[in-house]
Amino acid sequence: MRRYAVLLGLLLIVGVVLSACGSGGSSEQGGSDNSFETAMVTDTGGIDDKSFNQSAWEGLTQFGGDNGLKEDAGYSYLQSNSASDYVTNLNRLVQSNTDLIFGIGFKLAEDIGTVADQHKDTHFAIVDSVVDKENVASIVFEEQQGSFLAGVAAAMKSESGKIGFVGGEESELIKKFEAGYVAGAKSVNKDIEVDVQYAGSFGAPDKGKLIASNMYNSGVDVIYHSAGGTGNGVFAQAKDLKNNNPEGNYWVIGVDRDQYEEGQIGDNNVTLTSMLKAVDVAVADVAKQSKDGEFPGGEIVSYGLKDDGINIAETNKDAYTEDIKAAVNEWKQKLVNGDVTAPSTDAELKEYQDSL
């Protein structure tokens, strides 16, 4: 009986030791560099919109590469073809135990808030909106500042005195782009005409092409778009016109990322400049913070001119001339110093125009 008790005791000790070793191994694996998983849910603009969603994916891809993660294992995305896909895609990622889930675009804000409430142990981040939840990081940008500089460039470049703005869906966010752009242009030429039109969608390149056609036909010679995939139609129309009339002025100002390549047509390029919005940098930053245990949950993470979260591209040296560059840099300094405040709403724009 005594021998049995001793044997039983030895077996229990071995079991405890093995259990402890197994637990320790599991914890060590959970803290390894390759255990972190992050993913993003696109809005309806799509991963290849050559703008907002694409920039976010480039940031997540960069983060994955920098941290030894593999696509579709350590980092991935789910495409949303309609608004009804948002909740489904978010929940799919939650169920697959994704550590950090990004919602790309303000249109996902409501659904991010709902799903975040239901899964408080999961980290979420929303781009271009604010969701006041402890497990959600809100990433926002001072788009009106970069758009102001785009307006300065457009007014400097325009020979007709008529410029255009094409928005995707009319919203508080896209109004920031519009207001800043008009203010910047009016700061250079208070009599300049600005044709503003909305396509009603971020994924309708045909509608963007039609709007651009009407604008160029009316004498507009520079169009700034904030329309996601719809903006591809603006580029397509400008290139078609340039192809038929190489001497004509059909300029496009890109958005979110440097869209210089989108404007290339033979030896010409219709991209005057692009309003750079470092969505890629922001996504990579927040992903790294989350991975490092420093997730900014419940915080608003803002990017503007001061920290290069917003900027203006100088890629097209032939079109973006030294006088335009000098004027843009002058106004940029005024914005950074606080001597000028770029408007972000219709009311602020009216007040700004009245002060000119």
Side-chain angles (χ1 to χ4, degrees):
M1 187 74 174
R2 182 181 176 188
R3 288 171 57 195
Y4 177 78
V6 170
L7 180 59
L8 181 60
L10 287 171
L11 288 173
L12 288 172
I13 291 171
V14 170
V16 169
V17 170
L18 288 175
S19 175
C21 289
S23 176
S26 176
S27 296
E28 185 177 349
Q29 183 179 2
S32 70
D33 285 345
N34 295 325
S35 66
F36 183 82
E37 291 189 19
T38 182
M40 56 176 262
V41 175
T42 74
D43 68 9
T44 55
I47 198 68
D48 56 353
D49 63 358
K50 305 185 188 303
S51 182
F52 188 72
N53 288 283
Q54 185 169 331
S55 181
W57 177 237
E58 288 170 353
L60 209 60
T61 300
Q62 180 68 49
F63 166 78
D66 289 345
N67 290 274
L69 304 179
K70 294 182 179 179
E71 185 174 346
D72 295 328
Y75 66 98
S76 60
Y77 73 88
L78 291 180
Q79 175 77 46
S80 300
N81 297 313
S82 69
S84 62
D85 293 333
Y86 298 155
V87 168
T88 301
N89 285 338
L90 290 168
N91 278 318
R92 278 181 60 189
L93 293 175
V94 170
Q95 290 162 9
S96 65
N97 296 317
T98 306
D99 298 288
L100 171 63
I101 301 169
F102 287 91
I104 309 303
F106 69 93
K107 293 164 69 175
L108 280 84
E110 183 176 351
D111 292 325
I112 283 275
T114 299
V115 177
D117 266 342
Q118 297 168 349
H119 304 280
K120 296 186 183 298
D121 291 335
T122 301
H123 289 168
F124 297 86
I126 181 73
V127 179
D128 270 355
S129 189
V130 175
V131 174
D132 188 15
K133 307 287 181 184
E134 286 301 312
N135 57 332
V136 181
S138 300
I139 301 170
V140 298
F141 297 84
E142 300 290 338
E143 294 95 349
Q144 70 274 15
Q145 295 180 339
S147 297
F148 187 103
L149 300 183
V152 171
M156 292 286 293
K157 192 67 177 179
S158 178
E159 295 181 6
S160 66
K162 296 179 68 175
I163 62 175
F165 174 83
V166 176
E169 294 184 22
E170 190 167 352
S171 63
E172 182 178 332
L173 173 64
I174 306 304
K175 277 291 183 180
K176 292 169 67 178
F177 291 83
E178 177 195 333
Y181 179 64
V182 174
K186 294 284 186 178
S187 297
V188 173
N189 174 9
K190 65 179 182 179
D191 296 321
I192 198 167
E193 295 180 36
V194 188
D195 186 355
V196 174
Q197 295 189 44
Y198 283 83
S201 171
F202 292 103
D206 289 346
K207 185 71 177 292
K209 195 174 192 300
L210 177 61
I211 293 174
S213 175
N214 292 334
M215 283 188 177
Y216 287 128
N217 286 339
S218 73
V220 165
D221 53 4
V222 184
I223 297 176
Y224 174 40
H225 88 87
S226 178
T230 299
N232 295 338
V234 177
F235 276 103
Q237 182 61 23
K239 290 194 288 186
D240 284 350
L241 292 170
K242 190 69 174 178
N243 190 47
N244 293 326
N245 180 18
E247 301 304 317
N249 292 321
Y250 311 105
W251 299 109
V252 183
I253 297 178
V255 74
D256 295 335
R257 62 196 296 271
D258 191 346
Q259 296 192 302
Y260 176 80
E261 292 184 0
E262 311 314 315
Q264 194 68 45
I265 175 171
D267 295 330
N268 291 313
N269 194 302
V270 298
T271 305
L272 171 60
T273 182
S274 298
M275 196 283 279
L276 305 178
K277 178 176 169 180
V279 178
D280 54 343
V281 173
V283 166
D285 280 352
V286 172
K288 185 177 188 306
Q289 290 178 58
S290 182
K291 181 178 180 297
D292 292 345
E294 300 173 353
F295 177 66
E299 298 180 19
I300 297 175
V301 187
S302 182
Y303 295 82
L305 284 175
K306 286 184 178 180
D307 49 23
D308 290 328
I310 293 291
N311 218 323
I312 201 89
E314 301 177 358
T315 313
N316 193 345
K317 304 297 184 183
D318 293 330
Y320 193 81
T321 53
E322 287 299 319
D323 60 330
I324 296 176
K325 180 178 178 180
V328 167
N329 286 340
E330 180 182 346
W331 284 100
K332 179 179 180 180
Q333 199 57 52
K334 290 179 181 179
L335 289 166
V336 170
N337 291 343
D339 299 330
V340 173
T341 300
S344 59
T345 65
D346 285 340
E348 290 176 1
L349 175 60
K350 183 180 184 307
E351 183 179 350
Y352 184 85
Q353 287 182 269
D354 289 344
S355 71
L356 294 176

